Amino acid sequence: SMDRRLKYTENSKKQVLVVDDESVNRQLLGYIVGNEYDVIYAEDGVDALEKIQLNQETLNMILLDLLMPRMDGFELLEILKSNESLKHIPVIVLTADKSAEVKALRMGAADFITKPYDMPEVILTRIARIIELAEDRMIIKATERDELTGLYTRDYFIEYCQELDQFYPEWEMDAIAVDIGHFHLINELYGRSYGDEVLRLLADTFREILSSIADGYVCRYEADKFYIYCTHLDDHRKMLDRIEQALADFTQNQQRFRIRFGVYPNVERGVEMAQRFGRARLACNSIRNNFMENIAYYDMEIHENSIYEERLINDIHDALANRDLVVYYQPKYNVTGDLPVLTSSEALIRWRHPELGMISPGAFIPLFEKNGLIQLLDHYVWDEAASQIRRWKDELGKSVPVSVNVSRMDLYDPELENKLLKLIADYDITPQDFLLEITESAYAEDTGQLIEVVDRLRADGFKVEMDDFGSGYSSLNMLTTLPIDVLKMDMKFVRHVHKDAKSKRMIELVIDIADYLSVPVVAEGVEEEEQVSILKNAGCQIIQGYYFSVPLPPEDFTELLSGER
């Protein structure tokens, strides 16, 4: 019936029902909309309901007066809202009573038109817009099945799951999110049609599982991701084994797929359906980097962690406004001479939360990198560092360059160069005062675009440090083309340098590479004297770490600077 209605409305005048108990109002509205629409009339709610039921396949819009003697507009709205086959027809209410508008909108009305009717073109525009929105929704609704796999689309799946809950309130149910690891590589290596075959096979296997092991529904909610809502299982391994076996048979054991299950078992009926699958997805994502596990269950730890992360996301804007985020500075020392000399520092952010206390950067930086809020933090740190550099110049007459992080998102910002130059100008400092740290993994992501951006920044006078060198995947060949001024070696090389010959050799290799590129090497995470002497003998020029100093709040760093000659 939905398809019939769409076809009908595409090929004929759209149909509008005018419901008003006053004949003159009916005629006036008929006159306004009659040229554009096929108009039918009703004198009150009872008459309207009959006409709506009679014309439900072809009716595009109801213009509804609220105050009528036999079944008023509110009563009719209530009936329409609770009727599955009628609730899709949009209603615009007609009223002279301003206070009634909000109530009508809350009850499901799409819009309202105020009496008396004075601007016909506004009325026609509103009707056209609401009909178009309603039809767009209908077309989306009409796609019940995913074309490729024949499984339900996400919206229909959620509706069917909700119905299942209503019919069988006593059933224990599991919400499961299924993910195929690195599926895009399958498409790239073997072609899209092969990938499609794999997805169809998975869909068939899910259907077979739901007719044998458990009862329920399945949908493909994204390219290579599925949701299953089924009767509770004590062990989901059996389900996973079936899927892995089907894939092994299909590929004749030539390819290996990593299938991950995130399970929210024995769902709480009070939790909304979409949220249940959100929980299953959280469980699934928790084993993304754990290759020993294929099934994860949503539990209190994941629950508390997700609530904690949600809290941090909600609180970040207040933290920026209230300056709960404090930039600390860790000094870097040049060790090439007889005595170490403080030459620069790294800006490191700390969060002094008014209720949660000090929050580790390890808890919030990866979270904000993941959800795109990292730029807010970066810009805050840049501004704080630039103003601090200015203060040191003014108060101590000293120029102390500060290294700041430039994240992957910043590098894709077309305004990056302008923002940094404006900052330098605003605080009247130089680009040489401001060192830019970019992680090796960011360099490996998209070298073409990144080289272009970094070349421009270096042309402006900024020095660029490659951070965490040795932790990523940049090939030696790529290094020769990358624009960098400093190599900052990954902390894990330093950690065992005095205990492990291999770590010592790795450091020597990094320093050889830096010599070849004619750039200095910075070692961070240095905690012991023995590490310092090994690094110094190997040719490392700059060292930072707890051996010299922990990261210091601005006032302590200023005190340290005051004591320097």
Side-chain angles (χ1 to χ4, degrees):
S1 73
M2 201 181 288
D3 293 343
R4 252 201 337 275
R5 188 171 169 277
L6 287 169
K7 283 194 185 80
Y8 180 95
T9 54
E10 279 163 12
N11 302 321
S12 60
K13 260 189 175 183
K14 307 273 164 74
Q15 192 181 58
V16 173
L17 169 66
V18 173
V19 188
D20 198 313
D21 64 325
E22 290 186 26
S23 169
V24 65
N25 281 345
R26 288 200 301 276
Q27 286 173 37
L28 183 56
L29 274 173
Y31 174 75
I32 291 171
V33 300
N35 282 336
E36 302 273 334
Y37 300 99
D38 172 19
V39 185
I40 52 176
Y41 300 94
E43 304 177 352
D44 55 37
V46 175
D47 184 19
L49 190 54
E50 275 177 33
K51 298 232 166 89
I52 292 165
Q53 285 167 333
L54 201 60
N55 297 281
Q56 61 180 281
E57 295 291 347
T58 54
L59 198 53
N60 291 87
M61 163 69 67
I62 301 166
L63 297 177
L64 176 64
D65 186 24
L66 288 176
L67 303 175
M68 297 179 292
R70 258 193 350 147
M71 191 195 290
D72 68 15
F74 290 122
E75 290 172 85
L76 184 61
L77 269 175
E78 196 64 54
I79 291 167
L80 294 176
K81 193 172 73 170
S82 61
N83 187 308
E84 207 53 39
S85 57
L86 302 179
K87 69 178 184 184
H88 64 268
I89 306 168
V91 179
I92 294 182
V93 297
L94 314 166
T95 178
D97 178 8
K98 283 294 223 189
S99 64
E101 288 164 8
V102 175
K103 183 180 174 187
L105 290 172
R106 282 207 184 114
M107 291 179 70
D111 204 347
F112 57 84
I113 294 171
T114 311
K115 292 179 175 182
Y117 315 124
D118 55 353
M119 294 178 74
E121 62 272 25
V122 173
I123 292 173
L124 286 170
T125 305
R126 285 188 166 195
I127 292 170
R129 185 176 63 88
I130 297 297
I131 288 177
E132 192 182 333
L133 287 171
E135 283 189 351
D136 286 350
R137 274 200 300 276
M138 291 286 287
I139 290 161
I140 291 162
K141 279 284 197 190
T143 56
E144 183 187 52
R145 298 277 176 176
D146 165 48
E147 238 176 84
L148 177 68
T149 61
L151 298 177
Y152 290 122
T153 52
R154 185 186 176 282
D155 288 346
Y156 269 85
F157 169 77
I158 295 287
E159 281 189 31
Y160 281 123
C161 292
Q162 283 165 343
E163 272 184 21
L164 190 67
D165 271 12
Q166 284 171 346
F167 285 120
Y168 301 103
E170 72 287 355
W171 282 12
E172 290 185 346
M173 304 296 291
D174 294 343
I176 305 170
V178 183
D179 194 0
I180 312 164
H182 302 298
F183 187 76
H184 62 283
L185 292 177
I186 299 294
N187 281 333
E188 282 173 34
L189 290 170
Y190 305 105
R192 177 57 60 95
S193 60
Y194 181 85
D196 288 351
E197 280 293 306
V198 170
L199 293 172
R200 275 194 286 268
L201 171 79
L202 283 168
D204 291 342
T205 310
F206 290 137
R207 274 190 285 258
E208 185 264 314
I209 286 168
L210 290 176
S211 66
S212 56
I213 297 177
D215 286 319
Y217 296 118
V218 59
C219 83
R220 182 164 83 118
Y221 79 93
E222 252 178 50
D224 57 346
K225 295 173 173 60
F226 300 84
Y227 284 158
I228 299 171
Y229 191 57
C230 64
T231 44
H232 174 63
L233 295 170
D234 288 326
D235 181 14
H236 296 83
R237 176 67 47 192
K238 205 188 299 180
M239 205 182 248
L240 185 59
D241 288 346
R242 289 247 186 134
I243 294 162
E244 287 178 338
Q245 188 57 55
L247 286 167
D249 293 345
F250 174 71
T251 65
Q252 298 178 323
N253 292 312
Q254 294 303 300
Q255 282 99 39
R256 285 187 63 77
F257 294 88
R258 186 180 177 221
I259 307 291
R260 289 197 307 269
F261 268 37
V263 184
Y264 174 31
N266 281 330
V267 298
E268 289 173 59
R269 291 298 177 105
V271 175
E272 276 187 29
M273 193 61 69
Q275 208 181 337
R276 296 177 199 179
F277 287 97
R279 291 182 172 187
R281 235 177 25 248
L282 276 172
C284 194
N285 291 341
S286 73
I287 48 171
R288 182 170 283 167
N289 299 316
N290 180 354
F291 291 91
M292 306 305 289
E293 293 294 334
N294 289 75
I295 300 176
Y297 291 90
Y298 181 81
D299 56 14
M300 277 318 289
E301 189 184 336
I302 289 177
H303 181 71
E304 281 162 14
N305 193 43
S306 72
I307 288 171
Y308 181 65
E309 288 189 348
E310 201 60 46
R311 172 85 191 268
L312 297 186
I313 290 165
N314 286 336
D315 289 357
I316 188 63
H317 295 283
D318 282 348
L320 291 164
N322 302 334
R323 307 181 74 73
D324 295 332
L325 292 155
V326 184
V327 177
Y328 277 43
Y329 299 88
Q330 186 169 33
K332 298 184 199 177
Y333 285 85
N334 188 316
V335 293
T336 50
D338 292 339
L339 291 170
V341 179
L342 197 166
T343 53
S344 59
S345 69
E346 181 180 5
L348 298 161
I349 197 158
R350 298 288 182 266
W351 188 346
R352 293 176 180 161
H353 195 286
E355 290 167 47
L356 303 173
M358 278 301 250
I359 300 172
S360 153
F364 63 87
I365 286 177
L367 173 67
F368 294 145
E369 281 174 338
K370 195 169 63 186
N371 68 12
L373 287 168
I374 192 68
Q375 270 189 293
L376 286 177
L377 284 190
D378 288 344
H379 295 172
Y380 180 86
V381 172
W382 298 349
D383 196 78
E384 289 287 295
S387 72
Q388 187 61 65
I389 292 166
R390 181 71 257 155
R391 276 199 297 280
W392 287 328
K393 284 179 190 282
D394 293 343
E395 292 168 17
L396 306 174
K398 291 193 176 184
S399 180
V400 186
V402 174
S403 299
V404 296
N405 278 305
V406 178
S407 66
R408 189 175 289 140
M409 282 200 72
D410 298 316
L411 294 167
Y412 289 115
D413 178 358
E415 286 299 303
L416 173 64
E417 186 183 12
N418 293 341
K419 284 172 183 170
L420 287 169
L421 288 173
K422 183 178 184 305
L423 197 67
I424 297 299
D426 286 351
Y427 287 103
D428 190 21
I429 59 176
T430 70
Q432 288 75 23
D433 293 320
F434 220 62
L435 305 170
L436 308 177
E437 288 197 4
I438 300 172
T439 63
E440 183 191 8
S441 56
Y443 270 101
E445 190 90 345
D446 181 0
T447 45
Q449 185 178 346
L450 190 131
I451 286 173
E452 209 179 295
V453 173
V454 174
D455 273 337
R456 282 205 310 275
L457 293 171
R458 291 176 83 218
D460 294 327
F462 291 101
K463 293 265 191 291
V464 174
E465 300 183 344
M466 182 191 273
D467 194 15
D468 298 334
F469 178 68
S471 67
Y473 306 98
S474 54
S475 67
L476 293 176
N477 180 45
M478 193 174 87
L479 269 180
T480 60
T481 61
L482 289 177
I484 46 175
D485 300 290
V486 180
L487 270 188
K488 194 168 189 184
M489 76 172 79
D490 189 60
M491 213 184 270
K492 66 173 179 280
F493 294 146
V494 174
R495 198 171 293 137
H496 303 296
V497 67
H498 53 311
K499 298 173 185 169
D500 172 8
K502 198 189 281 182
S503 290
K504 186 180 173 194
R505 184 71 195 113
M506 287 303 293
I507 280 173
E508 288 165 354
L509 281 171
V510 171
I511 290 168
D512 283 347
I513 291 165
D515 285 346
Y516 174 73
L517 298 172
S518 305
V519 298
V521 171
V522 175
E524 61 180 335
V526 178
E527 297 182 2
E528 298 180 31
E529 192 167 353
E530 206 179 335
Q531 291 171 328
V532 175
S533 62
I534 291 169
L535 286 161
K536 191 174 170 179
N537 291 336
C540 180
Q541 294 98 318
I542 298 161
I543 288 177
Q544 81 180 83
Y546 285 12
Y547 174 76
F548 287 119
S549 171
V550 297
L552 300 167
E555 56 276 16
D556 291 1
F557 195 95
T558 303
E559 206 175 298
L560 178 72
L561 270 182
S562 308
E564 289 278 316
R565 286 196 300 280

